[in-house]
Amino acid sequence: VRLEVNNGERTYTNIAPKDKVYLDNLVYSVSEAEGTAALVSFISTAEPATEIVIPATVDYEGKTYPVTAIADRALDNYPSYTHQISLTIGENVETIGTLAFAYVQFECVKFAPGSRLQATGSSAFNNARIKAPLHLPNGLKKLSWYSFGAIQQLDVIDIPASVETIEGFALSAPEIQHIYVHWAEPLACDHPYGWLAENSELTLHVPAGTKELYAATYPWNQARQIVEDSVDGISETEVNADDQVTVYNLQGLKLLDKAPRSSLKRLPAGLYIVNGRLVKQ
């Protein structure tokens, strides 16, 4: 049955336009020529989702297409006024577009194991909120201008050593207190903190043996303090077999609270207190 409703401005129909796939209230666009798909928009509903999982693939007319991109403004202003959303970004997503997640309130943002993410677009999370620590995936190459600009609530962000480019104001989150980096030599960049150069609470966590390098390198030395987190020579400890884990770093900062055990795989290499026991990840 084909339904069409016109409200004087646009026509709504229950028949998906060509090259479009609808999953829950998310809209994906398929490129048959390129053999890929992208998340492009959403449909407002009476009860917005509390969990969004961007899949690795979508099916269209009998074929399977990897979801490789999140388009500009794809979920910009997604309804989250009364609740926070858990977001999981699928493993095949390589790029996140400009303003893709602007003004959305997230409980957490996670990346599927094996994430292929290469770049975050300009202002990708502009004025969004992220409550839980954010661990960017290994393999990420670029944080574009203002990627996490003006983001609220986020106080911990972990940047993998694979990142090669950080553009201006990419980390200008006003409430951020801890930035973890993993380069043996400080990455050359300009003004990643934005106004955070004046933030007396910012702690930069660096690999063992590199504190003096970072302390002598602008702009990383604008953090209030620089600490070395990695410790060598500690044997691995078996992780408690509980289904949920609570994780602290060696400075006593809680990174995960009653999270699935699978979350441990997303932590960077280092020492942690997991369910009260010392663990080398």
Side-chain angles (χ1 to χ4, degrees), residues 3 15 33 36 67 71-72 81 99-100 102 111 115 122 149-150 154 177 194 200 210-211 215 235 238 241 245 268 275:
L3 299 176
I15 305 299
T36 61
V67 179
D72 294 350
Y81 311 113
L99 293 166
F111 299 87
S115 172
S122 298
L154 180 67
Q177 295 185 17
S200 62
T210 65
K211 180 177 179 178
S235 60
E238 182 179 357
V245 293
N275 291 352

Side-chain angles (χ1 to χ4, degrees), residues 24 41 52 57 59 94 116 122-123 128 148 151 160 166 171-172 191 195-196 201 204 227 244 264 271 273-274 277:
D24 298 322
S41 62
I52 295 176
T57 61
D59 293 330
E94 298 176 358
R116 296 179 174 85
S122 298
S123 301
F148 299 98
I151 197 168
I166 298 180
L171 304 174
S172 56
H191 309 300
W195 61 77
L196 288 177
E201 300 301 318
L204 181 68
V227 299
Q244 295 183 327
L264 292 174
L271 287 174
I273 306 299
V274 180
R277 302 178 66 181

